[in-house]
Amino acid sequence: MRGLALTLSLLAAACGGGHGPDQTLDRYGSALKSRDFSAAYDLMSASFRGKVTREDYMRMMRDSGREVADTADRLRGRRGDIEVSAEFEYGLGDTMRLVQEGGQWRIATNPMAFYDQSTPKAALRSFLRAYRLGRWDVMMRFVPNAYAEKMDAKKMEAQFTGPSRDQMESLLNTLEANVDEPIVERGNDARMTYGDRYTVQFLREDGAWKLKDLD
């Protein structure tokens, strides 16, 4: 928890106002080195300060002496250029990352990664996108191997557009509305509870997350 908090502090400080990233990091590192945690807090972003009070931040830093000293030393000894980036959220929680190159903003996100399966949450969003676009062939990627042998794109389409269409549409609407619910991972399995009584079960196979059950 302490390491995570320090990492968040460093990332937020890099975006602090009034100075360039390099100067902001210098000021942040100096504040940590001198244990002036109030000054360090002033360099945090508004969104961070909205979630963590000054008192909580200072207490956490005081309780993390070794980690704070290590962070300050690493900042003072840093080498190389700083990459300034921005992140834009859209759709079902998708993100587009941008970086500055030669004074111009460029898109750094892989534009071909339409159906990411690297995490359970990414797999869920990708599955919903494929469903909304009627990409039944793509939806097959999210079927566990044990079930894929009995399924194909045509059967997938029939399952979602046949006699149970209204029921499936309602279920998927509920799932989409709760797409940001917490997901609990245990090894190659994961679960997400949503709505009043539903649970999505995930399974990781061959390095990709798939959907084992939607309800």
Side-chain angles (χ1 to χ4, degrees):
M1 184 64 181
R2 293 178 180 177
L4 174 60
L6 288 171
T7 301
L8 291 173
S9 300
L10 174 57
L11 292 174
C15 301
H19 297 269
D22 209 46
Q23 292 82 3
T24 298
L25 287 172
D26 285 339
R27 292 176 62 198
Y28 187 73
S30 296
L32 293 185
K33 189 69 174 179
S34 62
R35 298 183 64 81
D36 187 354
F37 300 137
S38 182
Y41 183 83
D42 288 337
L43 293 171
M44 307 306 293
S45 68
S47 61
F48 180 89
R49 296 196 305 271
K51 298 175 183 177
V52 181
T53 66
R54 184 182 299 271
E55 290 72 22
D56 287 343
Y57 175 87
M58 294 178 64
R59 181 175 62 254
M60 178 188 65
M61 290 300 187
R62 285 194 297 266
D63 292 343
S64 307
R66 290 184 180 180
E67 291 84 358
V68 168
D70 179 67
T71 299
D73 289 341
R74 289 175 181 271
L75 286 175
R76 288 161 59 91
R78 72 181 187 279
R79 296 291 185 270
D81 297 330
I82 294 176
E83 181 184 83
V84 180
S85 64
E87 194 171 81
F88 170 68
E89 185 171 316
Y90 65 100
L92 293 172
D94 300 287
T95 57
M96 185 75 72
R97 182 169 173 267
L98 301 95
V99 298
Q100 277 191 334
E101 294 180 349
Q104 300 292 321
W105 285 101
R106 306 293 185 189
I107 296 173
T109 300
N110 181 0
M112 305 304 293
F114 295 118
Y115 300 104
D116 184 12
Q117 292 177 256
S118 60
T119 67
K121 187 174 289 293
L124 177 58
R125 288 170 173 159
S126 296
F127 178 83
L128 288 170
R129 180 181 297 110
Y131 168 73
R132 293 303 180 193
L133 295 176
R135 290 299 307 273
W136 317 114
D137 56 330
V138 172
M139 290 176 69
M140 286 297 300
R141 302 179 191 175
F142 302 89
V143 179
N145 296 337
Y147 305 121
E149 299 175 356
K150 304 175 183 178
M151 287 286 290
D152 57 30
K154 288 186 177 181
K155 291 181 179 179
M156 179 71 74
E157 180 179 6
Q159 180 176 342
F160 286 92
T161 63
S164 301
R165 176 175 182 172
D166 291 342
Q167 179 182 350
M168 297 304 297
E169 177 73 15
S170 176
L171 179 66
L172 270 294
N173 286 341
T174 302
L175 182 56
E176 186 171 313
N178 292 273
V179 71
D180 288 320
E181 289 295 315
I183 296 176
V184 179
E185 291 185 41
R186 289 189 176 87
N188 291 322
D189 295 295
R191 298 171 66 90
M192 186 192 86
T193 301
Y194 69 102
D196 295 329
R197 56 186 178 86
Y198 301 117
T199 299
V200 181
Q201 297 183 48
F202 302 88
L203 178 66
R204 181 165 53 192
E205 293 181 328
D206 304 320
W209 284 96
K210 302 178 182 180
L211 281 68
K212 186 177 180 181
D213 193 3
L214 297 178
D215 60 359

